[in-house]
Amino acid sequence: MKIKYNTKDPNWIKRVEDLGYGYHTDNQTPYWIDHYHFSITDYFAEKIYAATAELWQMCLHAVEHVIEHKKYDIFHIPKYIQHHIERSWENDVPSIYGRFDFAYDAEKQQLKMLEFNADTPTSLFECGVVQWHWKEHFFGSGKDQFNSVHEQLIQSWTDLKPYLKGNILHFTCIQESLEDLTNTEYLRDTAIQAGINTKLVYIEDLGWNGRCFVDLEGEEINSIFKLYPWEWMVHEEFGINLVNDSNEAQWIEPSWKMILSNKAILAILWELYPHHPLLLETYIGTPNGMTNYVKKPLLSREGANISFVVNKSEIYNTEGDYGSEGFVYQKLAQLHKEETGFTIIGSWIIGQEPCGITFRESDYPITTDKSRFIPHIIE
């Protein structure tokens, strides 16, 4: 992977906004990088594909292990929802997507999994739509991209359609986030293209009629995609209705994804696959003798409350409201570094298929919601 510069497009803002991309800039600072990109080889793309496919199978094994041995307490999963998780796993309630984040050590040519965004990953719209149109604008059909996100979403909804409950698949997210709404509407659009009847209801407008969940028109909800974290839902007042729902609504992502979206899974994976080349040494509650590590809250989001420790001294940290559930301690990984910043690789799995990558760049070695999106090509 190598940074290359392309001719600046003075009309890039209009170009991306015409695609429906309204959060390309944050306080005058571009979040979307248009004038440079990563150039990667076919071999490198295949390396990420293979790593993603292998890790997905390892994660499914880890979920089975946690459920079989009822290790919910180390994940701080409330008791009342544990049977719901087990039922969703036993009933094979499907998942639609997830994104693995990797560090890449160019010197060792080594990928290391940093974490798995299993429940509410974003930047899907940037990857599947904006990045693809960027390639078409600058390179046309002359270059390729590791990106079949759009096609794989439609195929996955098509495969899922016969197993959905009810005639309508509701989609929900919070109203105030343009990024969440854009990603949700993108997923909804691909579901419509797969022939599924859909309806949008904001999470704030979800109702309860005493027996089941309903939307603003009082229509009962049987299947619903949510871009809203399970760990928030189960701690909110209406969360108890999840287990009292007479419709047993089909939630996408399913509740078994609570296990994979919790960073305790990183320690479980290390326990099940010690010294696996794609994994970083990780422990719950203790660095266990490591001197160079990253301390991560179990439920942290967007890089909040992360601490970097080198030679047992904290050299960097981020603020936030997470950490009350405890921490994992993960061996420090070597991040890819260019003159423009530190970069991690996000690799999407949709259905059961690795199908696209994103590059996120930061001024510091922690990826946050301010980290820049860099498009890529294969050549």
Side-chain angles (χ1 to χ4, degrees):
M1 53 189 282
K2 183 178 180 182
I3 286 284
K4 290 187 177 180
Y5 289 85
N6 39 284
T7 305
K8 286 188 177 180
D9 175 8
N11 297 314
W12 73 268
I13 291 179
K14 181 180 186 308
R15 197 182 77 240
V16 300
E17 287 184 347
D18 285 347
L19 298 172
Y21 188 29
Y23 51 97
H24 49 72
T25 303
D26 180 40
N27 291 326
Q28 307 302 315
T29 302
Y31 159 68
W32 168 262
I33 297 299
D34 202 72
H35 65 288
Y36 62 83
H37 60 274
F38 271 109
S39 168
I40 64 173
T41 63
D42 269 326
Y43 172 78
F44 189 67
E46 289 168 4
K47 187 181 182 78
I48 297 170
Y49 180 101
T52 304
E54 184 174 3
L55 283 169
W56 174 240
Q57 293 304 317
M58 292 161 61
C59 283
L60 294 178
H61 177 212
V63 172
E64 178 76 37
H65 173 82
V66 171
I67 290 176
E68 181 182 352
H69 296 279
K70 297 190 180 297
K71 294 190 170 185
Y72 303 111
D73 288 349
I74 62 175
F75 289 75
H76 290 257
I77 293 174
K79 288 193 181 303
Y80 84 87
I81 200 69
Q82 292 174 8
H83 178 65
H84 192 281
I85 292 172
E86 291 171 354
R87 194 175 63 212
S88 74
W89 179 252
E90 290 163 1
N91 292 340
D92 201 22
V93 179
S95 156
I96 192 73
Y97 70 160
R99 192 194 71 232
F100 290 95
D101 285 346
F102 291 105
Y104 181 64
D105 185 330
E107 187 174 329
K108 296 179 180 176
Q109 298 188 4
Q110 196 171 56
L111 288 167
K112 292 288 186 182
M113 173 187 168
L114 296 171
E115 59 189 53
F116 184 32
N117 300 278
D119 186 20
T120 58
T122 53
S123 78
L124 186 65
F125 181 71
E126 294 92 310
C127 181
V129 176
V130 186
Q131 178 177 230
W132 179 259
H133 282 274
W134 171 90
K135 181 197 79 71
E136 291 293 297
H137 175 80
F138 283 104
F139 300 100
S141 57
K143 301 289 183 184
D144 202 358
Q145 196 172 73
F146 182 3
N147 190 359
S148 59
V149 162
H150 190 77
E151 295 80 3
Q152 188 57 31
L153 278 173
I154 296 172
Q155 184 60 53
S156 294
W157 288 123
T158 302
D159 296 341
L160 189 56
K161 184 180 176 184
Y163 303 100
L164 293 174
K165 298 177 70 173
N167 297 318
I168 294 178
L169 174 60
H170 284 78
F171 283 74
T172 191
C173 64
I174 59 173
Q175 188 169 6
E176 64 184 22
S177 170
L178 179 60
E179 180 180 7
D180 285 8
L181 179 59
T182 303
N183 276 271
T184 301
E185 285 287 48
Y186 175 48
L187 281 151
R188 183 181 171 211
D189 177 68
T190 55
I192 291 171
Q193 292 187 55
I196 296 173
N197 296 318
T198 71
K199 195 172 182 181
L200 178 69
V201 55
Y202 292 115
I203 198 87
E204 299 90 338
D205 294 331
L206 276 180
W208 176 256
N209 66 6
R211 189 180 60 82
C212 62
F213 293 103
V214 292
D215 62 23
L216 275 176
E217 285 74 40
E219 188 162 16
E220 294 186 1
I221 292 173
N222 290 286
S223 295
I224 181 167
F225 168 87
K226 59 159 194 64
L227 190 58
Y228 192 74
W230 272 107
E231 70 258 24
W232 293 1
M233 287 206 300
V234 298
H235 287 103
E236 291 170 354
E237 188 176 347
F238 86 105
I240 194 67
N241 294 329
L242 293 163
V243 297
N244 295 327
D245 180 10
S246 62
N247 281 355
E248 296 184 359
Q250 185 176 14
W251 291 84
I252 304 170
E253 297 293 304
S255 59
W256 61 261
K257 275 295 196 73
M258 281 184 72
I259 296 170
L260 289 177
S261 62
N262 187 305
K263 291 180 181 59
I265 198 66
L266 300 172
I268 296 292
L269 284 166
W270 184 254
E271 177 185 322
L272 293 174
Y273 301 95
H275 306 288
H276 190 285
L278 292 172
L279 299 178
L280 289 161
E281 187 175 357
T282 307
Y283 304 99
I284 298 171
T286 171
N288 200 25
M290 293 188 294
T291 55
N292 301 322
Y293 57 85
V294 178
K295 180 182 174 185
K296 298 179 175 181
L298 297 184
L299 299 174
S300 172
R301 310 182 75 80
E302 298 179 330
N305 300 101
I306 304 290
S307 299
F308 265 59
V309 176
V310 175
N311 294 326
K312 296 184 179 181
S313 297
E314 183 177 287
I315 60 168
Y316 188 71
N317 65 64
T318 55
E319 297 180 344
D321 299 323
Y322 300 95
S324 61
E325 297 84 1
F327 295 85
V328 295
Y329 297 76
Q330 184 183 58
K331 186 176 181 180
L332 195 61
Q334 181 69 42
L335 295 187
H336 185 84
K337 177 78 166 55
E338 297 272 351
E339 62 180 10
T340 53
F342 295 89
T343 302
I344 67 165
I345 303 165
S347 180
W348 291 93
I349 185 155
I350 298 175
Q352 305 289 321
E353 186 74 16
C355 60
I357 56 174
T358 65
F359 292 94
R360 296 287 302 278
E361 181 186 72
S362 307
D363 294 334
Y364 301 97
I366 294 178
T367 304
T368 70
D369 59 343
K370 309 296 182 189
S371 299
R372 302 173 288 274
F373 189 107
I374 304 175
H376 78 278
I377 56 170
I378 299 173
E379 58 184 349

